[in-house]
């Protein structure tokens, strides 16, 4: 029988392992469930915890990037994932990459040796009863088993997705406004909410040829090309015929230029990702093109020649909840007190982001289990806080998982050169994080 300070964590990936480490470090007892080696997902093959199933890279490590800043914030919170990465790093230029087996082994040994953590190697097919005295963290990852996905779909009231259909996001400052105009379809009386990149017939034909010739990311062995008709990859739509895109996401109808009155042959619309309009989504441009091909092809679009992509498009199997409808800023389900969602399941993308949400879930569940209240989230101008803000304050109708990027941060009040923004944001974020940590210490 568990005592009332025990935290149950389901899933031994990066998020679950980081959550266990953080909770145990704060005095809570943890039971961590991992179904391997009794059962493996289609992508896993090692018995170790925290197995990296795709790349061995944790991406950029410099403070001028949002993910580099996120890693530094995690280091300052004594992250086990960051400790393991430092111990097993391999040469990767300005990126942080790790020895895959060594990384997983380091984390497995650390958790097995911790006196407050019990690892149970068994599959959990239904959620245990959660309460504020006995919290539960669900961190089963994007390949959550069918039984657990069915359980999660029930408690999330169908606000659950099984495939990502993600369109690229572009830094607003990198757009060429001289070639782009603002207008919403059929809306002649106001400036409109959309930015429009117009293409002539010649430009459209050339774009279509480049799109169809570009390489795509192959499906995994366990994935099927079962796309939702309403969010087909842009290249799949294009393959149906040369006019398909002009009657779909590139339809020009109602989008005559507000000054010249000229009607373009085709249009690519950009929709603001946040109220501050610091980043824009390429509407309808979910894609399986390779990352390199996306940048090459999409930068041929008028107005996007110098586009800085904050997130590139993808379509892949990935179970995640509609976090803005379901989670509070502690990562706790609004209607199920004591049940927390962490990792990619919560609606973030990437190894580091998944571990970061595990870190916060571990801190918050420990506070609850030990008789306190969840901690306030880190400030929105930190990388950790920006991710929480994305999960809980985004428009639920357009919510999609995201990597950390500076487009998720509050806009800067000061005007400065592009190369100065990253270091400025990092300095501010780390100062705010330090104040946040001090407030946690003061709470006891």
């Amino acid at each position: 029988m568990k005592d009332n300070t025990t935290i149950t964590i389901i899933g031994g990936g990066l998020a679950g392992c980081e959550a266990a480490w953080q909770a145990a470090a704060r005095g809570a007892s943890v039971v961590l469930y991992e179904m391997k080696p009794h059962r493996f997902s289609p992508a896993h093959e090692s018995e170790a915890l925290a197995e990296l199933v795709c790349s061995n890279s944790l991406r950029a490590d410099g403070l001028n990037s949002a993910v580099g800043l996120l890693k530094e914030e995690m280091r300052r919170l004594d992250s086990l994932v960051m400790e393991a990465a430092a111990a097993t790093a391999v040469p990767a230029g300005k990126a942080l990459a790790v020895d895959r087996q060594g990384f997983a082994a380091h984390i497995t040994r650390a958790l097995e040796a911790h006196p407050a953590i019990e690892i149970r190697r068994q599959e959990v097919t239904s959620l245990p009863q959660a309460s504020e005295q006995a919290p539960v963290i669900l961190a089963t990852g994007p390949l959550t088993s069918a039984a657990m996905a069915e359980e999660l779909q029930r408690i999330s009231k169908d606000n659950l997705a099984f495939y990502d259909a993600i369109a690229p996001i572009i830094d607003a400052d990198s757009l060429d406004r001289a070639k782009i105009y603002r207008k919403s379809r059929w809306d002649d009386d106001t400036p409109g909410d959309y930015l429009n990149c117009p293409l002539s017939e010649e430009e459209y034909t050339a774009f279509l040829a480049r799109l169809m010739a570009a390489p795509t990311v192959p499906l995994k062995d366990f994935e099927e090309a079962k796309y939702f008709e309403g969010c087909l990859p842009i290249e799949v739509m294009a393959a149906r015929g040369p006019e398909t895109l002009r009657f779909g996401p590139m339809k020009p109808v109602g989008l005559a230029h507000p000054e010249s009155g000229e009607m373009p042959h085709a249009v690519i619309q950009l929709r603001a990702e946040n109220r501050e309009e610091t980043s824009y989504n390429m509407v309808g441009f979910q894609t399986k093109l390779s990352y390199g091909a996306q940048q090459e092809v999409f930068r041929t679009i008028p107005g996007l020649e110098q586009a800085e992509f904050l997130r590139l498009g993808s379509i892949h199997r990935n179970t995640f909840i509609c976090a803005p409808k379901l989670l509070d800023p502690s990562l706790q389900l609004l209607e199920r007190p004591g049940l927390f969602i962490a990792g990619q399941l919560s609606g973030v993308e990437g190894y580091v982001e998944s571990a970061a949400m595990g870190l916060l879930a571990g801190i918050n569940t420990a506070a609850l289990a030990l008789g306190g209240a969840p901690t306030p989230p880190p400030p929105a101008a930190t990388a950790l806080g920006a991710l929480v803000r994305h999960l809980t304050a985004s428009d639920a109708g357009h919510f999609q998982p995201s990597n950390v990027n500076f487009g998720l941060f509050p806009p800067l009040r000061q005007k400065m050169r592009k190369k100065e923004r990253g270091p400025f944001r990092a300095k501010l974020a780390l100062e705010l994080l330090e104040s946040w940590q001090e407030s946690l210490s003061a709470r006891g």
Side-chain angles (χ1 to χ4, degrees), residues 350-390:
Y351 291 146
V352 183
E353 292 86 343
S354 297
M357 294 304 96
L359 182 151
L360 292 178
I363 291 173
N364 286 321
T365 50
L368 267 187
L370 296 170
T375 60
T382 65
L384 286 162
L387 282 171
V388 173
R389 183 174 180 243
H390 170 67

Side-chain angles (χ1 to χ4, degrees), residues 8 355 386:
T8 300

Side-chain angles (χ1 to χ4, degrees), residues 227-279:
Y227 306 120
F228 297 116
E229 191 67 24
C231 56
L232 292 170
I234 193 75
E235 63 276 8
V236 171
M237 283 189 276
R240 293 180 172 182
E243 292 294 289
T244 303
L245 295 181
R246 291 189 64 246
F247 287 88
M250 295 179 70
K251 181 169 61 177
V253 178
L255 293 173
H257 196 287
E259 295 179 5
S260 68
E262 183 179 357
M263 179 65 74
H265 187 73
V267 166
I268 291 163
Q269 289 200 296
L270 308 177
R271 181 182 60 236
E273 274 290 300
N274 51 35
R275 291 175 183 172
E276 299 82 10
E277 299 186 352
T278 58
S279 58

Side-chain angles (χ1 to χ4, degrees), residues 178-381:
K179 297 180 180 179
I180 296 172
Y181 60 91
R182 181 179 290 273
K183 189 176 184 182
S184 295
R185 205 180 303 275
W186 305 120
D187 193 351
D188 297 325
D189 299 326
T190 66
D193 295 327
Y194 289 80
L195 299 183
N196 299 275
C197 304
L199 286 80
S200 66
E201 183 173 1
E202 182 181 0
E203 289 168 332
Y204 175 76
T205 301
F207 170 77
L208 203 61
R210 294 187 191 98
L211 179 67
M212 297 305 299
T216 58
V217 177
L219 291 168
K220 305 291 186 184
D221 293 339
F222 53 86
E223 292 186 312
E224 298 179 61
K226 292 183 177 179
Y227 306 120
F228 297 116
E229 191 67 24
C231 56
L232 292 170
I234 193 75
E235 63 276 8
V236 171
M237 283 189 276
R240 293 180 172 182
E243 292 294 289
T244 303
L245 295 181
R246 291 189 64 246
F247 287 88
M250 295 179 70
K251 181 169 61 177
V253 178
L255 293 173
H257 196 287
E259 295 179 5
S260 68
E262 183 179 357
M263 179 65 74
H265 187 73
V267 166
I268 291 163
Q269 289 200 296
L270 308 177
R271 181 182 60 236
E273 274 290 300
N274 51 35
R275 291 175 183 172
E276 299 82 10
E277 299 186 352
T278 58
S279 58
Y280 281 83
N281 181 293
M282 294 180 69
V283 179
F285 266 63
Q286 54 274 355
T287 179
K288 283 190 71 68
L289 293 186
S290 69
Y291 281 180
Q294 287 183 53
Q295 295 179 75
E296 182 179 346
V297 173
F298 296 158
R299 283 180 179 145
T300 66
I301 296 168
L304 304 188
E305 292 88 349
Q306 303 299 319
E308 180 180 335
F309 291 94
L310 299 173
R311 182 188 74 187
L312 288 161
S314 67
I315 295 182
H316 58 277
R317 180 181 171 186
N318 180 14
T319 306
F320 64 95
I321 63 169
C322 184
K325 284 187 177 181
L326 301 172
L327 292 186
D328 71 14
S330 72
L331 306 181
Q332 189 173 194
L333 282 174
L334 290 164
E335 297 188 8
R336 292 286 293 268
L339 180 55
F340 292 72
I341 310 294
Q344 284 191 250
L345 205 56
S346 69
V348 295
E349 285 277 351
Y351 291 146
V352 183
E353 292 86 343
S354 297
M357 294 304 96
L359 182 151
L360 292 178
I363 291 173
N364 286 321
T365 50
L368 267 187
L370 296 170
T375 60

Side-chain angles (χ1 to χ4, degrees), residues 108-119:
T108 303
R109 286 194 301 268
L111 295 182
E112 287 176 341
H114 200 295
I117 299 173
E118 177 189 350
I119 300 171

